[in-house]
């Protein structure tokens, strides 16, 4: 038996969550059985647990789109008992039972090795949000972005992706500007590496198709009007890495920034990214993200607090990353 946060759906359509005891035989099929040490709460987890969006594809469901732990059993030659592993994405926590449990059974293809020198807790202080932030940084660099090109905007600066993106970019020598609706967190964002703060209210409403060229590049986890205004404000030949939809899935923009300023909009997917790219991202994270950044940017909770914290997350009352110690 093991503990898990289980989501069920009532006949009326409401989602209910509870920490319950499950039997190992109830786990879905997979090549590898993992003893989960830590998981996290990401924006998508918040939507799943609260039922605010149809993230979950079938019920009952154990949410949690990522986890870190140790292999208990494996029928795949790539992993053996005792190996430390990480999982991000692949529909886990949506269509396949996820990481907010003490055990998980998954496909070997979905796992990557935990980098040497990184603990499961540290890995989940980074989590899918931080891993996505690194993919965004890689997308900017792959498209020729260097610090001498000019400042980089990070939207959703207080969120999981935004906070890690700020830390990564600043340590690579970029001048980072952070957009946030919580300007009272200025001290924290500047400690992460932000040089200037931008009030998100200046970006989250309809704007002109082309605006003053302010930033050489951007990392956006917000979408909707914010992404449209960011693209309209990028310098000639700049790049925007888009990875989220916290404001909305719509993109009310024109082609003007792309055909008149040569702006590149680079989509960043963390769910189905190929193995080599995942390993590269995690190897860079262990080398480029100082542990003191993780410590100052992380809140740790137990399974019992996950549902309440998920609600706070969607209300914008969570700063940085939330690690879930599933054994606490």
């Amino acid at each position: 038996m093991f503990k898990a946060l289980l989501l069920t759906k009532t006949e009326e359509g409401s989602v209910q969550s509870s920490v319950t005891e499950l039997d190992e035989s109830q786990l879905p099929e997979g090549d590898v059985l993992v003893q989960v040490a830590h998981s996290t709460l990401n924006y998508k987890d918040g939507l799943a647990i609260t039922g605010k969006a149809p993230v979950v594809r079938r019920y009952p469901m154990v949410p949690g789109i990522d986890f870190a732990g140790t292999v208990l059993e494996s029928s795949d030659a790539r992993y053996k008992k005792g190996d430390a592993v990480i999982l991000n994405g692949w529909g886990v926590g949506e269509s396949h039972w996820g990481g907010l449990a003490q055990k998980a059974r998954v496909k070997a293809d979905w796992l990557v090795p935990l980098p040497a020198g990184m603990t499961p807790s540290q890995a989940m202080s980074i989590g899918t949000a931080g891993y996505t932030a690194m993919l965004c940084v890689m997308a900017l660099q792959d498209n020729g972005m260097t610090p001498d090109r000019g400042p980089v905007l990070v939207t959703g600066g207080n969120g999981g992706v935004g906070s890690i993106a700020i830390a990564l970019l600043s340590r690579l020598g970029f001048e980072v500007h952070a957009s946030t609706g919580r300007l009272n967190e200025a001290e924290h964002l500047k400690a992460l590496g932000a040089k200037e703060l931008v009030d998100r209210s200046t970006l989250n409403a309809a704007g002109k198709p082309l605006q003053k060229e302010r930033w050489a590049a951007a990392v956006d986890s917000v979408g909707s009007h914010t992404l449209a205004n960011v693209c309209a404000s990028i310098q000639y030949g700049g790049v925007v890495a888009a990875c989220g939809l916290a404001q909305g899935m719509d993109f009310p923009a024109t082609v003007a920034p792309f055909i008149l300023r040569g702006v590149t909009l680079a989509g960043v997917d963390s769910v189905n990214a190929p193995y080599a790219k995942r390993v590269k991202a995690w190897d860079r994270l262990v080398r480029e993200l100082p542990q003191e950044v993780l410590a100052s940017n992380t809140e740790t909770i137990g399974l019992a607090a996950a549902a309440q914290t998920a609600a706070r997350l969607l209300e914008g009352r969570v700063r940085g990353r939330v690690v879930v110690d599933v054994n606490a």
Side-chain angles (χ1 to χ4, degrees):
M1 302 294 290
F2 63 96
K3 289 183 180 180
L5 182 68
L6 191 68
L7 304 182
T8 56
K9 200 168 189 178
T10 67
E11 291 183 1
E12 294 74 27
S14 63
V15 175
Q16 297 182 336
S17 64
S18 62
V19 177
T20 186
E21 293 271 348
L22 297 174
D23 189 271
E24 194 175 291
S25 63
Q26 295 176 265
L27 287 167
E29 293 183 358
D31 309 309
V32 185
L33 177 65
V34 178
Q35 180 75 55
V36 178
H38 296 82
S39 185
T40 70
L41 282 181
N42 295 280
Y43 189 79
K44 189 179 286 186
D45 298 317
L47 294 173
I49 293 169
T50 61
K52 296 291 186 182
V55 170
V56 175
R57 306 303 180 190
R58 61 172 67 94
Y59 292 90
M61 176 59 59
V62 174
I65 66 171
D66 52 18
F67 64 74
T70 304
V71 172
L72 290 173
E73 300 174 3
S74 175
S75 60
D76 188 286
R78 288 170 289 179
Y79 297 101
K80 63 181 184 302
K81 184 176 181 179
D83 285 349
V85 293
I86 306 171
L87 182 142
N88 304 98
W90 298 111
V92 171
E94 302 171 68
S95 56
H96 188 100
W97 282 14
L100 289 173
Q102 293 173 327
K103 291 185 180 181
R105 185 180 286 120
V106 296
K107 292 184 178 181
D109 287 341
W110 300 346
L111 298 169
V112 296
L114 180 73
M118 180 180 286
T119 68
S121 176
Q122 290 166 347
M124 289 300 99
S125 291
I126 298 169
T128 293
Y131 150 70
T132 303
M134 177 54 85
L135 292 179
C136 289
V137 171
M138 290 162 58
L140 296 186
Q141 293 179 317
D142 289 345
N143 281 280
M145 274 301 117
T146 52
D148 61 288
R149 294 283 297 273
V152 178
L153 176 69
V154 175
T155 65
N158 274 300
V161 173
S163 58
I164 300 295
I166 291 168
L168 289 169
L169 287 164
S170 66
R171 282 153 183 81
L172 288 169
F174 289 90
E175 178 182 318
V176 182
H177 297 182
S179 168
T180 180
R182 288 178 275 171
L183 295 175
N184 59 312
E185 296 280 7
E187 184 177 344
H188 173 65
L189 293 174
K190 288 183 177 180
L192 288 174
K195 184 174 181 181
E196 291 188 19
L197 300 189
V198 178
D199 190 330
R200 74 177 178 197
S201 65
T202 64
L203 295 170
N204 63 8
K208 295 179 180 180
L210 279 180
Q211 301 171 33
K212 180 181 177 180
E213 296 179 51
R214 300 176 65 182
W215 302 289
V219 171
D220 177 69
S221 59
V222 179
S224 192
H225 287 293
T226 297
L227 178 57
N229 286 320
V230 168
C231 289
S233 304
I234 294 295
Q235 298 169 9
Y236 189 92
V239 183
V240 179
C243 66
L245 43 70
Q247 185 181 1
M249 190 180 291
D250 59 323
F251 182 44
T254 74
V255 298
F258 313 113
I259 65 173
L260 298 180
R261 290 184 181 164
V263 171
T264 296
L265 179 58
V268 174
D269 165 57
S270 63
V271 175
N272 298 297
Y275 180 82
K277 182 178 283 190
R278 289 168 179 267
V279 171
K280 181 179 179 180
W282 279 104
D283 284 347
R284 286 191 60 177
L285 284 162
V286 74
R287 289 184 281 109
E288 298 178 27
L289 193 59
Q291 294 308 311
E292 59 268 22
V293 170
L294 299 179
S296 66
N297 195 51
T298 303
E299 171 188 355
T300 301
I301 62 173
L303 269 179
Q308 183 179 14
T309 308
R312 286 200 295 119
L313 177 65
L314 295 190
E315 292 166 2
R317 295 191 292 117
V318 170
R319 183 179 80 179
R321 304 284 299 121
V322 178
V323 172
V324 183
D325 182 346
V326 298
N327 299 298

